[in-house]
Amino acid sequence: MARTTSLIDPAPDIIADKGVTDQNDVPILVQDLTVAYHRKPVLWDIDFSIPEGKIIGIIGPNGAGKSTLLKAILDLIPKASGRILIYGKPYRQQRAKVGYVPQRESVDWDFPVNALDVVAMGQYGKIGWFKPVTRKHKTLAMESLERVGMADYANRQISQLSGGQQQRVFLARALVQDAQIYFMDEPFAGVDAATETAIVKLLQQFRSIGKTVVVIHHDLQTVKDYFDYLIMLNMRIVATGNTSEIFTPENLQKTYGGRLTLLDEAVQAIAREGDRRL
Amino acid sequence: MNPRKRSGIRYISFRHILAPAIILMFVVSTGRAAPDSIGSIRDTTIEWPTIDEVLRVVLLRDYNTRVVVIGTMLLGLAAGVIGTFILLRKRSLMGDAVSHATLPGIGLAFIIMSRFGGSGKHLPGLLAGAMITGLIGMGLILLIRNTTRLKEDAALGIVLSVFFGFGVAILGIIQKMSTGHAAGLESFIYGKTASMLAADAQLIAYVALLILIVCTILYKEFTLLCFDQEFASSQGWPVVLLDITMMVLVVIVTVIGLQAVGLILVIALLIIPAAAARFWSYNLLTIVIASGIIGAFSGLAGAGSSALIPRLPTGAIIVVIAASVFIFSLVFGSARGLLVRIYQHLRLLKKVGHQNLLRAMFEWWENHDTSGQSRIHRQSDTKGAELANSVCDRDSDNIGNVEHSSRDIRWGELLALRSWAPRRLRRLIRIAIKEELISQLSLGSYRLTEVGKAEAKRIVRNHRLWEIYLITHADIAPSRVDRDADQIEHVLGRAMVDKLERILASTSPDLAMPSSPHPL
Ligand SMILES: Nc1ncnc2c1ncn2[C@@H]1O[C@H](COP(=O)(O)OP(=O)(O)OP(=O)(O)O)[C@@H](O)[C@H]1O
Ligand SMILES: [Mg+2]
């Protein structure tokens, strides 16, 4: 499999750069990625790879394309160009290795299910077509609710949970997927200090058993404490690398301050062009 | 997402409940059918059934009636079940647009069939035509939404009006083309079970059963799709295929419902039972079943009444019945019904008032206790012993150790403690006296009874534990905690208090009765 992919793209220089010999050891490899919504590019020429067994943060201002990057990796939106490999293979073949925690606002919490039901959804892929959820799956779901400290709330209807509790339910659902890589879209948004600490502990547990965790994050204060590795993003990659090396005022300035006005203008022009053609 | 959340219900209440209800009221009150412009209703009088006729229908003696009633009932069942999913998927309006898009198909099928020498009114042929344009309509909505920048509501509006208008035009052409033959096609617009044959009803029944089977098999998949499409997709579920399957089921229900309910109102049979069922439960499976039952009941009762009074438009009756169930559920529903919510609200209000009264009296007593300082001392002396049995329900005799002030609180002082209205305070006191938590020694002078003191102590303790928790663990400013604690302490259960004790045991030494973290 690895052979065929390397035939398509004979010179993956990024791999050579990092001195990695085998793509199969790289949890995520992104090459040349461009993503556009209605012809308006929101991610340009993204190239990076991430190390295994680390907690990786993605930071950038609102609209930088952080969520879009995750969605592109998870094949939820089409790519304009480029490719993404998870342990050397396209996402399609590696789903079982990937767990996803979407942004909490992405679902309707008034939906008539309880916390346990939501967590059990993490196993639907394993259960497969047509077969119902059995007691065995519910037991597993219960265990993962326990791990996030939500066992008491298993039978609560999800609308009756607080924001932080809802976030924990989502985490439990990812836990029960038993994946190698986890993607989390702003897991700390709208949770209190205690829940945030609990979530961070959980992430560190993951790391200690060799799992890779990718987290979109907004609070710059805690970046140094939480993340080993960082992707600084603003429509294009500003910097990637160990937090201690790249979390610098210059890079922050490049990411957050002084918008990339030229790039912005180009985007607007392309969008206008698109409008005219429609 | 949010603004569209309840659009299904709101949308139906205006167009689909009111209109038929008004027509029906008009019809019933005047004893005359609505004027010609209402399409299928051409007759001007209504003949009320005789007792004998009523019995015939109720007991289902007549074979044709029996088949029609059962067929319509199964239709309602299927619509209720699949309707729950499209309500949760927020696709109610798409169902409506699709049902309107079936009309040109009916007309075109009629023309084609009569051209090729058929009767033109062969039902399976008409339904096939309806199905085809319905699916085309659905495809167009998706196409418009995905390829242009128009939003979904615009796409729905375009497809609904264009297809329906086109259908009306075709019916007009048919009327000119072959007068007489086409009579009855309009019954697809408003629904008329009277024109239904046993064979038609059988077809409906089989298709409805098929839909039920598919929904049962795909229950888990549909649930995931409705709740979290992105997650489903990330897990590799073919979201688009599932979505199309669901919408095709909706089109099928719509098509087999055309005869009984009519294409304008069939959406109501999809959505109203589901919306009503949500008032009875928080559990999806229960809601699906309840919705099916409500749909089945509406279909049964609607077809039954229609058999009694054949000139009433069946669709309208079915919708009015479903709407009545909806209104009943809205008021009496055991999960989110109005009465339940009002009751819960009142009970909480009462509980809050009751707890505030006892807490106010207890804290006042703490402040005016003549042996105030010594009390606090004694508490820290006996700290170890008290921690051991820190659950204060059990150590209420502990209060006996503390001699309380002989002073009783006066009405005016009590009133000044909190910002409560005199009337409310008076009522709270009356209730507390009746429950023997407070005694009134002389007029306007009150004191906590022994039972009241124990209760008050428990409440105050919970309040303070919670306040301390908020300050130490949630970083809330001490000046604000009183108000925040107020909102939550009333719902603190035993389990939560235990948890608080465990959390605070390490940081707060005087757990048995912590002193207030802010000036009283
Ligand atoms: N479905 C969509 N259709 C069109 N444009 C979109 C869509 N989703 C996002 N965008 C645009 O793409 C850009 C990047 O959005 P994205 O959600 O990835 O940002 P983000 O970095 O996650 O921001 P935030 O911090 O606010 O979550 C934004 O300019 C946004 O307006
Ligand atoms: Mg985002």
Side-chain angles (χ1 to χ4, degrees):
Chain A
M1 197 63 227
R3 272 200 62 143
T4 29
T5 34
S6 57
L7 277 180
I8 298 166
D9 185 358
D13 17 289
I14 179 154
I15 294 173
D17 279 354
K18 302 271 180 221
V20 179
T21 43
D22 192 357
Q23 313 189 334
N24 294 336
D25 293 339
V26 184
I28 304 161
L29 176 69
V30 176
Q31 289 179 325
D32 233 3
L33 175 73
T34 298
V35 179
Y37 287 113
H38 301 294
R39 308 180 57 91
K40 180 184 143 207
V42 295
L43 289 176
W44 292 82
D45 285 336
I46 304 288
D47 276 300
F48 68 88
S49 66
I50 60 163
E52 194 173 18
K54 296 268 161 69
I55 303 178
I56 294 123
I58 301 181
I59 59 171
N62 292 125
K66 303 180 296 293
S67 302
T68 305
L69 178 60
L70 276 204
K71 286 179 190 171
I73 293 176
L74 296 168
D75 251 359
L76 296 175
I77 48 172
K79 308 184 249 298
S81 73
R83 63 173 193 167
I84 298 167
L85 299 180
I86 311 276
Y87 284 112
K89 294 193 189 125
Y91 177 72
R92 241 173 306 114
Q93 297 164 29
Q94 301 281 45
R95 277 189 192 108
K97 291 204 174 116
V98 175
Y100 177 39
V101 182
Q103 236 165 323
R104 187 156 50 84
E105 300 84 56
S106 67
V107 304
D108 173 10
W109 287 95
D110 202 23
F111 202 82
V113 286
N114 62 31
L116 192 69
D117 295 331
V118 173
V119 177
M121 285 177 189
Q123 302 170 86
Y124 282 11
K126 271 184 211 128
I127 298 172
W129 283 96
F130 312 132
K131 283 181 236 134
V133 180
T134 63
R135 178 155 303 160
K136 189 187 94 197
H137 303 115
K138 294 220 161 153
T139 317
L140 278 175
M142 195 65 201
E143 276 168 20
S144 91
L145 269 178
E146 258 159 39
R147 282 180 64 186
V148 299
M150 286 286 296
D152 295 346
Y153 300 91
N155 294 318
R156 259 305 164 90
Q157 206 259 332
I158 52 173
S159 69
Q160 291 161 6
L161 298 173
S162 71
Q165 292 168 340
Q166 291 172 346
Q167 192 66 58
R168 288 179 193 217
V169 169
F170 259 9
L171 278 175
R173 182 176 71 173
L175 264 182
V176 87
Q177 285 183 277
D178 195 24
Q180 273 304 111
I181 313 175
Y182 286 98
F183 292 97
M184 307 187 178
D185 200 342
E186 302 195 26
F188 302 121
V191 306
D192 62 16
T195 304
E196 180 155 342
T197 316
I199 295 176
V200 170
K201 282 221 181 83
L202 202 69
L203 302 190
Q204 287 163 351
Q205 267 180 40
F206 280 3
R207 179 177 55 188
S208 67
I209 50 173
K211 306 204 166 186
T212 308
V213 187
V214 180
V215 176
I216 293 182
H217 194 59
H218 261 302
D219 181 11
L220 296 178
Q221 308 275 330
T222 48
V223 164
K224 278 206 142 122
D225 301 331
Y226 292 173
F227 303 112
D228 312 314
Y229 197 88
L230 212 55
I231 296 171
M232 299 173 87
L233 187 74
N234 191 348
M235 301 178 73
R236 57 189 186 90
I237 297 278
V238 175
T240 56
N242 291 323
T243 311
S244 50
E245 291 157 25
I246 68 156
F247 193 62
T248 59
E250 300 89 80
N251 280 338
L252 277 175
Q253 171 65 24
K254 272 195 233 159
T255 314
Y256 287 89
R259 300 268 313 175
L260 303 157
T261 37
L262 211 59
L263 197 58
D264 237 15
E265 266 171 38
V267 166
Q268 294 306 330
I270 292 170
R272 271 199 302 278
E273 187 71 11
D275 271 342
R276 226 171 285 141
R277 276 192 217 169
L278 262 175
Chain B
M1 279 284 133
N2 255 359
R4 270 199 284 147
K5 213 149 139 188
R6 292 202 181 75
S7 62
I9 299 172
R10 200 184 320 130
Y11 183 74
I12 276 179
S13 63
F14 289 133
R15 269 188 52 205
H16 294 99
I17 300 181
L18 283 185
I22 291 168
I23 296 172
L24 208 74
M25 269 160 50
F26 178 76
V27 168
V28 172
S29 63
T30 57
R32 296 165 69 87
D36 248 352
S37 58
I38 308 282
S40 68
I41 311 161
R42 287 275 150 75
D43 311 279
T44 49
T45 56
I46 287 205
E47 291 158 26
W48 294 103
T50 63
I51 303 282
D52 211 39
E53 281 170 330
V54 172
L55 277 180
R56 270 181 73 83
V57 168
V58 171
L59 300 177
L60 295 178
R61 279 198 202 131
D62 183 39
Y63 173 72
N64 203 44
T65 317
R66 192 156 63 214
V67 179
V68 168
V69 167
I70 290 175
T72 316
M73 187 184 87
L74 282 173
L75 168 74
L77 181 65
V81 169
I82 188 72
T84 312
F85 290 107
I86 65 162
L87 182 76
L88 290 173
R89 184 100 179 93
K90 295 160 182 98
R91 284 284 160 78
S92 321
L93 295 179
M94 193 184 289
D96 197 25
V98 165
S99 67
H100 280 74
T102 58
L103 188 59
I106 295 170
L108 289 175
F110 180 86
I111 295 177
I112 292 170
M113 286 191 297
S114 27
R115 269 292 143 81
F116 289 95
S119 78
K121 284 216 233 156
H122 178 59
L123 184 72
L126 292 178
L127 295 190
M131 178 100 185
I132 290 168
T133 50
L135 288 175
I136 292 176
M138 188 180 88
L140 267 182
I141 294 169
L142 296 177
L143 198 70
I144 294 175
R145 193 187 61 186
N146 294 342
T147 59
T148 72
R149 289 199 181 186
L150 291 176
K151 295 283 177 291
E152 180 157 316
D153 57 342
L156 292 171
I158 293 169
V159 169
L160 187 150
S161 52
V162 170
F163 274 68
F164 190 63
F166 189 47
V168 171
I170 292 178
L171 287 201
I173 293 169
I174 291 173
Q175 222 102 50
K176 292 236 168 65
M177 199 172 73
S178 53
T179 21
H181 281 301
L185 275 195
E186 325 86 36
S187 73
F188 284 111
I189 299 181
Y190 293 102
K192 196 171 185 188
T193 41
S195 61
M196 213 189 270
L197 304 173
D200 305 343
Q202 256 170 17
L203 177 71
I204 293 177
Y206 289 140
V207 177
L209 281 178
L210 177 83
I211 288 168
L212 288 180
I213 291 169
V214 176
C215 282
T216 312
I217 292 175
L218 289 177
Y219 178 76
K220 166 171 116 272
E221 287 76 4
F222 281 174
T223 308
L224 184 60
L225 176 72
C226 293
F227 176 62
D228 195 346
Q229 179 199 326
E230 260 182 15
F231 184 77
S233 177
S234 81
Q235 277 209 324
W237 294 101
V239 167
V240 177
L241 190 71
L242 280 172
D243 228 359
I244 289 177
T245 310
M246 189 185 285
M247 288 318 288
V248 167
L249 290 185
V250 172
V251 176
I252 295 175
V253 169
T254 307
V255 167
I256 62 166
L258 287 180
Q259 255 199 324
V261 194
L263 61 87
I264 292 188
L265 294 176
V266 73
I267 185 65
L269 194 56
L270 282 164
I271 303 305
I272 298 179
R278 287 209 68 175
F279 288 106
W280 294 96
S281 173
Y282 288 113
N283 176 277
L284 181 59
L285 187 61
T286 315
I287 292 175
V288 169
I289 292 171
S291 173
I293 292 173
I294 295 171
F297 170 74
S298 310
L300 178 87
S305 337
S306 181
L308 288 176
I309 315 169
R311 278 164 196 150
L312 284 183
T314 322
I317 302 177
I318 291 180
V319 173
V320 167
I321 290 168
S324 315
V325 177
F326 175 82
I327 291 166
F328 180 82
S329 309
L330 177 82
V331 178
F332 297 101
S334 57
R336 319 161 165 239
L338 277 180
L339 287 187
V340 168
R341 284 209 236 175
I342 291 173
Y343 172 74
Q344 282 168 348
H345 183 67
L346 287 181
R347 215 178 46 175
L348 184 67
L349 270 189
K350 191 185 150 203
K351 193 169 153 196
V352 169
H354 165 90
Q355 297 192 346
N356 284 345
L357 175 65
L358 293 186
R359 187 156 63 86
M361 288 183 73
F362 187 88
E363 287 182 339
W364 178 88
W365 166 75
E366 256 186 344
N367 274 357
H368 290 75
D369 188 1
T370 42
S371 56
Q373 270 107 11
S374 63
R375 193 183 72 85
I376 288 168
H377 264 135
R378 206 175 317 155
Q379 275 220 315
S380 37
D381 288 346
T382 54
K383 189 181 75 191
E386 283 189 332
L387 261 179
N389 59 347
S390 63
V391 184
C392 54
D393 309 87
R394 278 183 244 136
D395 66 355
S396 56
D397 56 346
N398 186 27
I399 284 194
N401 304 341
V402 186
E403 36 197 84
H404 61 84
S405 149
S406 57
R407 263 195 69 187
D408 302 307
I409 187 165
R410 309 204 162 277
W411 164 257
E413 288 172 304
L414 198 50
L415 190 63
L417 282 179
R418 291 183 72 95
S419 56
W420 35 31
R423 249 187 51 201
R424 179 163 157 74
L425 180 58
R426 217 168 284 135
R427 199 168 52 228
L428 288 173
I429 291 177
R430 212 180 322 121
I431 296 170
I433 290 177
K434 212 164 70 199
E435 288 173 358
E436 302 190 338
L437 298 169
I438 293 178
S439 55
Q440 184 175 25
L441 299 171
S442 56
L443 195 69
S445 170
Y446 309 96
R447 149 188 309 186
L448 287 167
T449 63
E450 284 306 310
V451 185
K453 231 176 278 169
E455 170 79 357
K457 192 180 173 202
R458 190 182 62 81
I459 292 165
V460 171
R461 179 165 176 270
N462 283 355
H463 182 82
R464 292 194 184 155
L465 286 178
W466 186 246
E467 282 180 338
I468 293 172
Y469 174 74
L470 286 182
I471 291 171
T472 55
H473 287 73
D475 293 332
I476 292 177
S479 54
R480 277 198 51 208
V481 289
D482 191 30
R483 217 184 57 227
D484 286 334
D486 251 17
Q487 289 162 2
I488 304 183
E489 61 167 19
H490 307 293
V491 293
L492 279 183
R494 187 67 253 167
M496 273 187 78
V497 174
D498 281 345
K499 229 183 240 169
L500 274 179
E501 280 166 3
R502 242 179 294 132
I503 294 171
L504 297 178
S506 54
T507 50
S508 313
D510 50 347
L511 262 193
M513 177 47 88
S515 46
S516 177
H518 56 86
L520 287 170

